[in-house]
Amino acid sequence: MKASNTVLLVRLLSTYMRRRVLSQGPLRDPFFRLGIAAAAVFSLAALTLFAYLFLKPALAEAGNLEFLARIASISTVYWTVLAFLFVRVLFGRSSDMMTFTWQLPMTNQQRSAALAVFEALIILGVIGVVFIPVTLAVAILAGFPGLVLILEGVVFPAVSAFMTLLIFNNLLMRTVNALKLPRIAVLVSFVVCAAILGAFSTVAQPLATAMSDDFLNQRDGYHATDMFITIGSLYGHLTAVAAFAAIVAAAAFVAWLTVPHTYTAARKFFRIRFRPSWTARELGWYVTAWARRADTWLAIVATYALASVLLVQAPGNLGYAVGILTTQALYHFSATRTIRQLPGNAATAGRTLVLLLASQVIGLVVASLPVLAAALMTGTSIIQILLTLGGCISGVILLNLLGILFPQDRDNPFSAIVSYLVCLLIIATLVVVFGVVELPLAVIVVLLTAFHAAGLYYSYLGIQVSIRKARYA
């Protein structure tokens, strides 16, 4: 397998992302990009300040920084597995985006390798975004020694965990393809990664307890997640760097050898029958479009899996599992494009917006009923359940807006990632503002109402623009 072809495809996909994603919708407006950059800087500065104020008393005593770095290695591996699961779902349905590569003289193995490169960059980027505030705070408080521990406790474990997951996933995909089940490869990968995440969640707390005991008893601990810190403290930091480089080089070679030889399209829809009286109505069309997507069922499986874990570990938080279902709001506008293009369908922007939101709320409520019923039986109050549903509807409005502003063209993962990043930035900004400024409850309610009204209004405008483009295309 030629590496040059893989590098070429990585460059082509970079160009695709720049032209099809970063130059579409509001991102074309320099003022919008400036506003996003300003919000990112503001959120980063505020989170760094919070991390600084939290860590300053904790780092007053010698040895605390190393202990915190060891504990952070557990969170790093957890976030790496979570990011890998998220990215695998997004890139698992990138077959439409990869259509243009079929005319290029390259193998399926090279296509898979190029996508793996982007997966690595995105996963490590997610880990970086999560830990940047803490890293900056540690650099301010502890200087260069703190950065060394950040490398050994955050960066090195993240890269090592990703390489391990990549090799395991490559072997899993080869097994699925050998069994002639390529259409469910994404589902199998999702289930296995979710199982790994659940298994690691069960050992994370005992691992943190063991690290705490080692720290209190002043003895060296040997654990998988903080092994680079242990190597650095016993044999020197240069030895830890050399060990990391050797492990990554060997893992990269194995990952290169185990890249699957086939690249197949994942299943997009399931055949689900509805009563003709229901599908005869326009609202039924939108509900059907939501319910038949394979991604919707992935979200439902993830919701029930998380609910099962929370039922055992934290029953009081069981209702929060339904938040996963809101992720499908990002794709609903693009998924129902063919419905709006039917002859004689001249729905207005307002009617289209109502159909989009109503169909998603119906699907969300129906799919979440078993989880919410279990939450009610385990002691969760009705008020908390209603607040959870309200938060999910709020997420539907926000992600529906982003799905209109950043259309998920050909289900390409880059548009979804940009949309999720904008969503997280908006949420982080709101959390920082409400966390720093202690506003009265009435003012917060008014501001949140105005925020949702603005989301609905701009969704309406976005649909109007889409209708005009389709009409005069």
Side-chain angles (χ1 to χ4, degrees):
M1 182 171 62
K2 292 184 178 179
S4 58
N5 286 348
T6 301
V7 174
L8 174 61
L9 185 54
V10 169
R11 292 176 57 188
L12 287 175
L13 290 176
S14 300
T15 303
Y16 178 92
M17 178 180 179
R18 186 174 63 253
R19 293 182 177 179
R20 298 290 296 179
V21 179
L22 300 182
S23 299
Q24 297 290 325
L27 290 176
R28 294 179 299 178
D29 188 352
F31 291 102
F32 182 83
R33 293 197 297 267
L34 181 63
I36 290 293
V41 172
F42 171 74
S43 299
L44 178 62
L47 293 174
T48 302
L49 178 60
F50 293 157
Y52 175 86
L53 295 176
F54 174 78
L55 292 174
K56 186 176 182 179
L59 300 184
E61 297 182 11
N64 284 358
L65 178 58
E66 180 177 325
F67 170 68
L68 291 176
R70 291 180 184 273
I71 296 297
S73 67
I74 303 175
S75 299
T76 299
V77 174
Y78 179 86
W79 277 99
T80 302
V81 179
L82 184 62
F84 187 86
L85 175 62
F86 171 73
V87 171
R88 283 302 304 158
V89 171
L90 292 182
F91 277 83
R93 57 178 179 214
S94 58
S95 56
D96 287 348
M97 181 192 70
M98 298 294 289
T99 302
F100 77 95
T101 66
W102 297 121
Q103 59 186 329
L104 302 177
M106 58 179 54
T107 64
N108 291 328
Q109 197 173 14
Q110 292 165 348
R111 292 184 179 88
S112 299
L115 289 178
V117 171
F118 272 99
E119 291 176 10
L121 294 176
I122 293 169
I123 291 171
L124 296 179
V126 170
I127 303 301
V129 169
V130 171
F131 286 95
I132 278 178
V134 176
T135 301
L136 293 177
V138 170
I140 295 172
L141 290 169
F144 182 73
L147 291 179
V148 173
L149 286 174
I150 288 293
L151 281 176
E152 295 174 349
V154 175
V155 178
F156 292 175
V159 176
S160 302
F162 169 75
M163 297 303 297
T164 303
L165 289 169
L166 180 60
I167 294 172
F168 181 79
N169 186 77
N170 286 346
L171 295 175
L172 181 64
M173 291 299 97
R174 281 176 172 262
T175 303
V176 172
N177 291 329
L179 295 174
K180 308 298 183 182
L181 299 172
R183 297 297 299 275
I184 63 170
V186 175
L187 178 61
V188 172
S189 178
F190 173 82
V191 171
V192 173
C193 289
I196 293 174
L197 183 63
F200 185 78
S201 300
T202 60
V203 302
Q205 186 59 46
L207 184 58
T209 302
M211 289 182 181
S212 301
D213 291 339
D214 294 335
F215 174 72
L216 294 175
N217 296 316
Q218 296 183 351
R219 63 171 180 259
D220 294 326
Y222 299 91
H223 313 286
T225 61
D226 64 347
M227 66 176 184
F228 293 107
I229 299 178
T230 301
I231 294 174
S233 63
L234 294 178
Y235 306 106
H237 298 298
L238 290 179
T239 305
V241 173
F244 168 73
I247 291 173
V248 170
F253 180 71
V254 175
W256 180 262
L257 293 179
T258 57
V259 172
H261 291 283
T262 59
Y263 180 85
T264 54
R267 187 167 188 170
K268 290 186 176 182
F269 302 98
F270 290 107
R271 289 185 178 181
I272 302 176
R273 295 185 180 276
F274 291 85
R275 296 181 61 179
S277 60
W278 173 251
T279 55
R281 298 179 176 86
E282 195 172 3
L283 178 60
W285 304 347
Y286 279 79
V287 174
T288 303
W290 185 88
R292 285 179 173 172
R293 282 179 60 86
D295 298 331
T296 300
W297 287 96
L298 278 178
I300 293 174
V301 170
T303 299
Y304 293 163
L306 178 59
S308 301
V309 174
L310 292 176
L311 185 61
V312 176
Q313 297 184 354
N317 299 326
L318 181 59
Y320 297 138
V322 300
I324 299 177
L325 296 173
T326 62
T327 58
Q328 298 310 300
L330 188 64
Y331 310 99
H332 199 47
F333 180 72
S334 297
T336 55
R337 180 184 295 113
T338 53
I339 295 177
R340 294 187 294 276
Q341 293 175 347
L342 290 174
N345 187 357
T348 62
R351 179 179 175 82
T352 300
L353 179 59
V354 171
L355 291 171
L356 285 170
L357 296 178
S359 58
Q360 293 174 78
V361 170
I362 291 173
L364 187 149
V365 171
V366 172
S368 63
L369 280 179
V371 177
L372 297 180
L376 189 61
M377 289 186 292
T378 53
T380 305
S381 64
I382 297 180
I383 297 298
Q384 186 175 351
I385 290 177
L386 293 177
L387 289 176
T388 301
L389 282 176
C392 291
I393 295 174
S394 175
V396 166
I397 292 175
L398 176 57
L399 288 174
N400 188 75
L401 169 63
L402 295 176
I404 294 171
L405 297 181
F406 308 102
Q408 307 304 304
D409 181 47
R410 296 183 178 180
D411 280 338
N412 78 80
F414 302 123
S415 294
I417 290 169
V418 170
S419 301
Y420 283 127
L421 287 176
V422 174
C423 179
L424 291 176
L425 182 58
I426 293 173
I427 294 174
T429 303
L430 293 175
V431 169
V432 168
V433 170
F434 291 139
V436 174
V437 183
E438 296 183 359
L439 298 174
L441 179 61
V443 177
I444 294 177
V445 171
V446 171
L447 291 177
L448 289 178
T449 302
F451 173 76
H452 288 88
L456 294 173
Y457 174 69
Y458 284 108
S459 298
Y460 171 80
L461 293 182
I463 294 174
Q464 274 193 329
V465 173
S466 175
I467 291 175
R468 285 199 296 267
K469 285 184 177 180
R471 182 178 300 167
Y472 299 110

